Amino acid sequence: MTRGTARPVVRLKSTAGTGVTYVTRKNRLNDPDRLVLRKYDAVVGEHVLFREER
């Protein structure tokens, strides 16, 4: 496979509505659906869900 197909760069946006984002890579073969991770949102000051945006 070429570099850009198996592990695309995705942006994770906070579900708290603060506009905070994380940038990460995901394995498209293992996680074909949108990625959801629980990460720290510094504006809210706690861990919240971050969803992949396209």
Side-chain angles (χ1 to χ4, degrees):
M1 287 188 164
T2 60
R3 178 173 166 82
T5 58
R7 287 196 163 270
V9 174
V10 296
R11 290 182 59 188
L12 302 174
K13 187 173 182 183
S14 174
T15 58
T18 58
V20 176
T21 59
Y22 280 92
V23 177
T24 187
R25 293 181 177 270
K26 77 168 187 175
N27 189 326
R28 190 176 280 153
L29 299 177
N30 293 339
D31 298 312
D33 300 327
R34 290 193 183 188
L35 198 59
V36 178
L37 296 175
R38 189 168 181 263
K39 298 187 73 70
Y40 185 76
D41 187 335
V43 176
V44 178
E46 60 186 29
H47 285 81
V48 296
L49 289 179
F50 279 75
R51 296 189 189 278
E52 175 184 344
E53 62 177 19
R54 295 192 177 161

